[in-house]
Amino acid sequence: MTQPQRVLSYLDALNEALAQELAADPSVVVFGEDAVGGHGCDGTMGHAWGPTRGLHNQFPDRILDAPITESAFVGAAVGAAATGLRPVADLLFVDFAGVCFDQILNQAAKLRYMVGGKAAVPMVLRCMWGTGMRRGAQHSQALYSLFTHIPGLKVVAPSNPVDAKGLLAASIQDDDPVIFFEHKLLYFGSRAVVPEERYTIPLGQAKVVREGDDVTIVAIGRMVNEALAAAERLEAEGVRAEVVDPRTLSPFDFDTVYASVEKTSRLVVVDESNPRCSVATDIAGTVAENRFSSLSAAVRTVTGPHAPVPFSPALEDAFPPNADKIVDAVRSTLPSSVTSKAS
């Protein structure tokens, strides 16, 4: 009799990655705000959202609560990493990074370079990002472009549970500081069959999640789901869209994007972040600079507006890209003979 396949949520996949890395490597430590876990602080919940649920009971000496002072515990993570540990620090919302930006920008990112490679900083800074949870402008931003601009940091943004587990494991095992972005709406809204064994997915390796030959859609994080929904609708119009999930934003796998654009000759980039100086504009500009002769239409970007995330539910729902906006952007790259048939 065939055993049913095991399905995990994005949140459970993160929890399993942490548990397996803690079990495999005694140098791994986890700390941050509410890491041991609210709900009576008995270790059964772990974190307000649950990614460290149950871990304190298994590893009581290596799951540590930190005070609400981001500069202190992120600085402690840098020091712990430089002296032999592999800390995983939980910032909760990425919006809190401003409080500890010096520790990230001038310490974690620079230390290996400043000592001529004689020390490494193998730390992971986990953080939630994105709209959709009615958290207001100070708890809903997509700030990964701040970190992709900084040499010395690696930046990861998984879009599904399988990648979340493998990329978190790879980030913990990596010898450089990694900023690990987890979209809040994916925690419970994304489920998949996830391998039970310990595994890694290489950092800096994009994935073609849907093949096509008419247009390339590069989408970041939760936007991959919107891009796939748009591709389904476009398929009904006779347009075959290829969807690329970068998975890692720094280092960025431009080779996979180039290969796709050389095949499709059109590019649409989807990014929940604000448009100015964003990852979307970086991808668009780099492709235009290096594969201009492969393009048969201007590159389009679909992003949030250049504005704070609204607290109003109706306005917040209208803020990020969605399948409708992506379909419209794709249509704008197509010949008029194709778009007239769709209409």
Side-chain angles (χ1 to χ4, degrees):
M1 183 176 176
T2 304
Q3 293 293 321
Q5 291 184 305
R6 193 183 67 129
V7 175
L8 293 185
S9 69
Y10 191 99
L11 196 66
D12 289 335
L14 293 171
N15 180 270
E16 186 165 90
L18 288 170
Q20 290 178 348
E21 294 309 305
L22 283 158
D25 186 347
S27 71
V28 176
V29 294
V30 176
F31 54 81
E33 296 171 18
D34 209 19
V36 171
H39 293 244
C41 292
D42 60 358
T44 57
M45 183 61 184
H47 186 309
W49 301 78
T52 54
R53 182 183 63 254
L55 296 182
H56 182 257
N57 293 335
Q58 299 176 59
F59 310 99
D61 297 329
R62 290 192 284 145
I63 308 294
L64 309 171
D65 266 338
I68 304 176
T69 171
E70 292 83 357
S71 57
F73 70 75
V74 173
V78 177
T83 53
L85 296 179
R86 291 187 177 272
V88 181
D90 190 345
L91 190 60
L92 292 184
F93 297 93
V94 69
D95 315 71
F96 301 163
V99 183
C100 53
F101 205 61
D102 181 68
Q103 285 79 359
I104 301 168
L105 168 68
N106 287 322
Q107 308 306 322
K110 305 290 193 299
L111 184 60
R112 180 197 280 265
Y113 175 78
M114 293 175 68
V115 299
K118 295 179 180 178
V121 188
M123 62 173 278
V124 177
L125 185 60
R126 292 181 44 247
C127 46
M128 297 183 287
W129 68 283
T131 61
M133 295 295 290
R134 316 311 187 212
R135 297 286 170 169
Q138 294 175 320
H139 296 76
S140 305
Q141 297 171 91
L143 298 178
Y144 33 76
S145 61
L146 292 179
F147 302 99
T148 60
H149 187 72
I150 301 171
L153 298 179
K154 295 179 179 177
V155 182
V156 179
S159 68
N160 61 78
V162 176
D163 288 351
K165 178 180 174 180
L167 288 167
L168 181 55
S171 298
I172 294 171
Q173 295 174 34
D174 199 89
D175 284 337
D176 289 312
V178 179
I179 315 298
F180 196 89
F181 281 81
E182 305 161 9
H183 198 290
K184 298 188 287 290
L185 286 183
L186 293 178
Y187 275 164
F188 303 102
S190 179
R191 301 179 66 82
V193 175
V194 178
E196 197 163 349
E197 67 271 14
R198 183 183 180 220
Y199 65 91
T200 61
I201 293 173
L203 303 186
Q205 189 174 102
K207 182 179 182 180
V208 176
V209 295
R210 180 188 175 108
E211 293 192 355
D213 49 27
D214 292 321
V215 62
T216 298
I217 305 174
V218 177
I220 296 169
R222 188 180 73 84
M223 293 296 102
V224 173
N225 296 332
E226 297 294 329
L228 290 170
E232 286 287 335
R233 289 172 48 184
L234 291 162
E235 181 81 28
E237 301 174 7
V239 177
R240 298 185 68 247
E242 182 150 293
V243 179
V244 178
D245 180 356
R247 305 196 289 191
T248 303
L249 302 181
S250 187
F252 193 89
D253 181 5
F254 278 105
D255 287 341
T256 295
V257 177
Y258 291 157
S260 181
V261 169
E262 287 168 359
K263 177 173 64 170
T264 67
S265 79
R266 297 176 180 86
L267 175 63
V268 173
V269 188
V270 188
D271 181 359
E272 188 173 316
S273 184
N274 310 111
R276 292 291 312 283
C277 304
S278 65
V279 173
T281 54
D282 180 52
I283 296 169
T286 303
V287 171
E289 181 176 359
N290 294 288
R291 291 296 184 276
F292 183 77
S293 61
S294 298
L295 293 168
S296 60
V299 178
R300 302 298 185 194
T301 60
V302 186
T303 70
H306 199 64
V309 178
F311 181 69
S312 158
L315 291 176
E316 184 181 16
D317 288 343
F319 186 94
N322 58 29
D324 289 340
K325 297 174 184 178
I326 298 168
V327 168
D328 288 344
V330 168
R331 287 175 178 160
S332 74
T333 71
L334 299 172
S336 57
S337 58
V338 176
T339 55
S340 62
K341 289 178 183 179
S343 59

